[in-house]
Amino acid sequence: MGLRRKSRELALQFLFSHDFQERSDVPDALGRDWKLFCQSFEAGPKTIPYGLVLVEGIGRHLDEIDTLLAGHSHHWRVERMSAVDRNILRIAVFELRYSGDVPAQVAINEALEIAKRYSIDDSVAFINGVLDAIQITGSQ
C-alpha cells in the first residue's frame, strides 16, 4: 500500500472521529486537532504531511465540497450519508477539484479501494456514481 493511500486512510479516520466529536472545521483548528490525533495514534511520520493537506484542504473547501456532493447524490442529503462514505467522498472531491497533482481516475480509484475496506458493499457503487457525476461536470 502506497504512502498516499495510507495518508488518505489516516485522513478518513481523523475526519470520521472529527464528525462524531462535532469539532470545529476551521482549518487552523483542524491542524491542531490533526497533530493531536496523529500523536495519539502513532501515525507513520511519512503519512502525516499529505494527510494534513487533505484535512486542511477539506476544511477550507467544506461548503463547496458538500454542495457538490448534495448536487450529485440524488435523494441523499450529505448529513444523512454514513460518516465513512461522506468523508471518503470529501477526500476524493477535494482531490478531484482542488489538488492539481492527483489524476481524476486515481482519486476515484483510491476512494473505491478505501470504501471496499471501510464501508459496506453497496457504498462502493454509490461512491463511484457520485464521483463519476462530479468528474463529468468538472470536465465540461
Side-chain angles (χ1 to χ4, degrees):
M1 179 183 327
L3 279 178
R4 283 220 169 166
R5 166 107 31 106
K6 290 178 184 178
S7 296
R8 288 178 185 100
E9 289 184 359
L10 188 63
L12 171 64
Q13 293 164 356
F14 171 82
L15 292 167
F16 178 87
S17 69
H18 201 264
D19 273 2
F20 281 102
Q21 295 175 22
E22 297 181 4
R23 306 282 301 223
S24 172
D25 291 324
V26 175
D28 290 342
L30 285 170
R32 284 190 306 273
D33 292 347
W34 172 257
K35 186 176 180 179
L36 290 171
F37 178 84
C38 290
Q39 289 171 347
S40 298
F41 291 96
E42 298 178 5
K46 292 182 179 181
T47 63
I48 293 172
Y50 188 65
L52 180 60
V53 167
L54 295 171
V55 166
E56 287 184 334
I58 290 165
R60 275 191 302 280
H61 299 286
L62 186 61
D63 291 338
E64 299 145 33
I65 290 169
D66 283 356
T67 298
L68 280 168
L69 292 177
H72 292 87
S73 57
H74 306 291
H75 309 295
W76 280 96
R77 292 191 325 264
V78 173
E79 62 274 4
R80 294 280 321 252
M81 294 176 189
S82 80
V84 172
D85 295 351
R86 178 176 54 244
N87 286 302
I88 290 171
L89 285 164
R90 285 174 173 163
I91 291 167
V93 170
F94 173 77
E95 289 185 317
L96 284 169
R97 289 296 171 106
Y98 304 102
S99 176
D101 69 336
V102 179
Q105 201 54 50
V106 171
I108 293 170
N109 287 341
E110 286 293 307
L112 298 177
E113 290 302 317
I114 292 170
K116 288 176 187 174
R117 183 167 182 193
Y118 290 96
S119 197
I120 61 172
D121 291 338
D122 290 344
S123 291
V124 176
F126 171 71
I127 289 168
N128 189 43
V130 172
L131 294 177
D132 279 343
I134 290 171
Q135 178 190 12
I136 290 169
T137 59
S139 63
Q140 294 176 347

